[in-house]
Amino acid sequence: MTILDGKNVSNDIKDEIAAEVSKMKENGEKVPHLAAVIVGNDGASLTYVGSKVRACERVGFESTLIKLPNTVSEIELLDTIEELNQNDDIDGFIIQLPLPPQINTQEVLMAVDPDKDVDGFHPTNFGKMALDMSTFIPATPFGILELIDRYGVETKGKHTVVIGRSHIVGRPMSILMGRKGFPGNSTVTLTHSHTKNITQITSQADIIISALGVPNFLKAEMVKDDVVIIDVGITRVPDETRPRGYRITGDVDFENVSKKASFITPVPGGVGPMTIAMLLKNTLLARERHSKL
Ligand code: GUN
C-alpha cells in the first residue's frame, strides 16, 4: 500500500511555483496577484482562505483578502466582483463558498471574468473543461489529477466510482476521469444520494473518489482488494482531546480500508493541501495568460 502524500507533493509544487516567481522577478516581470473574497465568519471558510493567502506569501505571489459581512447584499458583492474584474493588477480571484442564503451563488459565479476565474467555476470554464479545451480546472479535481499523475496511478480502462455530485468536486471529477488521455480513459460511475445499493457499485470499483462529507462512510467491506482510494472528505468532528476541540475526518475508514488498498490518500495531508497548490498553479497560469493580452 502506498500513501498518496498530498502534503509532500504540494510542497514540491509550491517549490516549483516559487522558482518560477523568482525567474519572473529577475526578469523584472510582474508577479501573480490572487484576490480572495470571503463573506461572513464561517470558521472553516476563514481557515481555508487564510491558508490560501499564506500559500501566496510562501511562493512570492501578491495577495489581497476582501472580507465582507454576512449581511452583504448580492448587489454589493456583484459590485466587488466587477471591481476585481476591472482591476488590471489582479490576475485571478476566488469567491470562497458557501455564500449566505440571501445571495444567489450561481449569479455570483457567473459575474466573475472567466479569464480571472482561477477556481474554474464559471460555466464558460466548466464547459471548456468538459470539451477538453485549455482552461482553469477546479483546484480540488486538478489536485487529484496531479496526485494520480505524480504517483503514476493507472486510470486507463479502470472503473472509477465517484461518490457525490457537487459542482466543486464530484461532477467535474466524473467528467475528468472519463476524458481521453492520462489521467482519464476511465469508465466512470457517478453515485449520489439517490443511488441504490452503493456497496454493489463501490465493491466493483478500481478507483474510488469520495467527496461526500460523511465521516468514515466508506468501510473495508465496501471495497475490493487493491482499490485506489481518493478521500476528499474534510469534516470537523468534535474531539475534546484536540487543542481546537475538533479533528478533521475523511469519508473513508482509513484504518481498515488502507489494509486492502493499493494507493490511498490520508486525511489530513492528502487532497486538502493539493487544492491550495493547484489554486496557485491556476493563478500562475492566469498571470501568464494576462501578460500576453
Ligand atoms: N469552498 C469549498 N471548496 C472551495 C473551493 O475550492 N473554492 C472556493 N472558492 N470555495 C470553496
Side-chain angles (χ1 to χ4, degrees):
M1 184 270 292
T2 302
I3 298 273
L4 298 169
D5 186 340
K7 197 160 170 48
N8 225 337
V9 173
S10 69
N11 281 330
D12 290 348
I13 294 169
K14 285 183 200 163
D15 289 345
E16 291 159 20
I17 294 172
E20 289 283 323
V21 174
S22 294
K23 269 194 243 159
M24 288 173 146
K25 282 187 181 158
E26 279 167 25
N27 295 338
E29 294 167 19
K30 179 188 175 308
V31 301
H33 187 169
L34 174 74
V37 180
I38 178 152
V39 180
N41 287 310
D42 176 65
S45 289
L46 285 167
T47 305
Y48 300 146
V49 168
S51 306
K52 290 172 186 179
V53 169
R54 271 197 310 283
C56 283
E57 282 162 14
R58 163 161 172 198
V59 298
F61 286 6
E62 283 184 56
S63 63
T64 298
L65 179 59
I66 300 173
K67 284 186 176 175
L68 299 174
N70 204 39
T71 52
V72 76
S73 69
E74 190 173 309
I75 300 280
E76 286 169 302
L77 179 55
L78 290 172
D79 283 346
T80 302
I81 292 171
E82 193 46 31
E83 279 168 28
L84 292 168
N85 285 341
Q86 299 298 334
N87 185 342
D88 203 43
D89 196 58
I90 304 279
D91 298 297
F93 65 97
I94 63 158
I95 317 295
Q96 187 65 31
L97 304 179
L99 293 168
Q102 76 273 17
I103 291 173
N104 181 332
T105 301
Q106 204 55 260
E107 290 292 327
V108 165
L109 296 180
M110 275 168 54
V112 176
D113 177 349
D115 289 334
K116 294 191 176 188
D117 171 38
V118 286
D119 256 336
F121 293 167
H122 190 285
T124 294
N125 288 326
F126 205 93
K128 283 183 170 179
M129 176 196 70
L131 294 169
D132 291 343
M133 296 165 73
S134 168
T135 184
F136 299 114
I137 294 175
T140 301
F142 196 10
I144 294 170
L145 295 184
E146 191 74 19
L147 261 186
I148 288 174
D149 185 6
R150 293 203 182 207
Y151 278 88
V153 176
E154 183 64 85
T155 59
K156 184 170 66 181
K158 302 293 182 188
H159 181 200
T160 295
V161 171
V162 179
I163 306 177
R165 57 182 159 185
S166 74
H167 294 173
I168 296 180
V169 186
R171 185 78 54 84
M173 214 55 236
S174 69
I175 294 168
L176 290 163
M177 291 300 281
R179 297 201 307 184
K180 279 188 185 160
F182 174 75
N185 285 331
S186 259
T187 304
V188 179
T189 303
L190 179 59
T191 66
H192 46 74
S193 49
H194 291 273
T195 297
K196 294 200 174 102
N197 201 351
I198 193 159
T199 296
Q200 194 185 18
I201 298 169
T202 55
S203 59
Q204 290 175 24
D206 301 305
I207 302 170
I208 299 176
I209 300 170
S210 186
L212 188 64
V214 176
N216 296 314
F217 169 80
L218 195 75
K219 303 271 192 278
E221 309 83 79
M222 298 169 73
V223 306
K224 67 177 185 183
D225 282 336
D226 295 328
V227 66
V228 175
I229 300 283
I230 310 283
D231 187 352
V232 193
I234 35 165
T235 308
R236 290 181 173 194
V237 174
D239 184 345
E240 292 310 323
T241 68
R242 303 293 174 102
R244 291 199 174 99
Y246 65 85
R247 67 192 142 83
I248 300 292
T249 306
D251 288 351
V252 178
D253 174 5
F254 183 91
E255 192 188 336
N256 295 306
V257 173
S258 61
K259 290 177 187 147
K260 292 175 91 173
S262 55
F263 294 90
I264 186 165
T265 60
V267 176
V271 175
M274 291 300 294
T275 296
I276 293 185
M278 301 322 274
L279 174 66
L280 298 175
K281 212 159 175 162
N282 275 343
T283 306
L284 181 64
L285 184 65
R287 174 67 219 136
E288 287 164 357
R289 288 190 187 159
H290 191 177
S291 68
K292 294 193 184 101
L293 288 179

